[in-house]
Amino acid sequence: NFQGDENDIIILSLVRSNKAKDVGFLKKANRACVALSRARAAMFIVGNSDVMQATGFWKDIIKHLESRNQIGGHIPLCCSRHPSSSKHVSVNDFMKVDFLTSICTEPCLGTMRCRQHQCQEKCHDHDDHMKCLAHVSFIHDSCGHCDTRVCSQPE
């Protein structure tokens, strides 16, 4: 619910799919203008182009996008931590994607809770670092003695 706000990337859902090809409120040009003017860097429009083309200005918009080869059945996704690791996901598979584990194959390399080593697992949610069972050395603050503990244990 942007209510006129802008964002770097917008995913615009035009999910109107019916035999009557009725696009409802999306047939109002002012609504389209607002929807199409909110992205600063990129916009992905998801919808049924057959239905949307039933309305004149949407037909023109779709024709323009097709002429620039900007309509397709896939969306490019990448890992926020490893931008070079990317994957094109089909529209049908979009909702099934576990973004980190299926797109990124890079090692995590996040700093572990003990701050003594990096995670060598495949890229994942950083909350998983709380489960590390590696044994690490540490020094007791109170007495200066050296000891070991499991990485994920609190100090």
Side-chain angles (χ1 to χ4, degrees):
N1 187 7
F2 280 96
Q3 297 295 320
D5 290 345
E6 291 182 345
N7 213 328
D8 290 337
I9 299 172
I10 297 290
I11 298 175
L12 178 61
S13 175
L14 302 177
V15 184
R16 296 285 176 162
S17 202
N18 54 68
K19 290 179 183 175
K21 295 189 177 183
D22 179 16
V23 297
F25 72 89
L26 296 172
K27 65 182 151 206
K28 296 182 179 182
N30 64 328
R31 297 276 190 150
C33 181
V34 170
L36 296 171
S37 64
R38 299 300 145 206
R40 290 188 286 253
M43 175 179 285
F44 296 93
I45 302 173
V46 179
N48 184 332
S49 62
D50 291 338
V51 171
M52 296 310 294
Q53 288 187 73
T55 303
F57 64 86
W58 281 110
K59 185 175 187 173
D60 294 340
I61 291 167
I62 291 168
K63 190 181 291 185
H64 174 75
L65 293 171
E66 285 175 335
S67 74
R68 298 179 65 182
N69 199 28
Q70 294 178 323
I71 290 186
H74 294 82
I75 186 170
L77 301 175
C78 72
C79 175
S80 61
R81 281 177 253 148
H82 306 104
S84 63
S85 185
S86 64
K87 182 177 187 178
H88 282 76
V89 178
S90 74
V91 173
N92 293 333
D93 291 335
F94 185 74
M95 296 308 292
K96 300 175 194 170
V97 172
D98 179 347
F99 291 97
L100 290 176
T101 58
S102 67
I103 293 171
C104 189
T105 57
E106 300 290 321
C108 173
L109 301 180
T111 302
M112 301 304 282
R113 185 175 187 170
C114 67
R115 294 181 295 283
Q116 294 182 27
H117 66 278
Q118 292 179 314
C119 180
Q120 297 302 310
E121 299 292 324
K122 184 178 161 189
C123 190
H124 59 88
D125 186 8
H126 281 292
D127 289 341
D128 288 345
H129 290 165
M130 299 297 212
K131 300 172 187 170
C132 180
L133 300 176
H135 285 74
V136 295
S137 298
F138 73 100
I139 298 174
H140 289 278
D141 290 335
S142 58
C143 62
H145 285 97
C146 191
D147 205 347
T148 60
R149 64 174 168 83
V150 173
C151 172
S152 57
Q153 271 184 319
E155 295 180 25

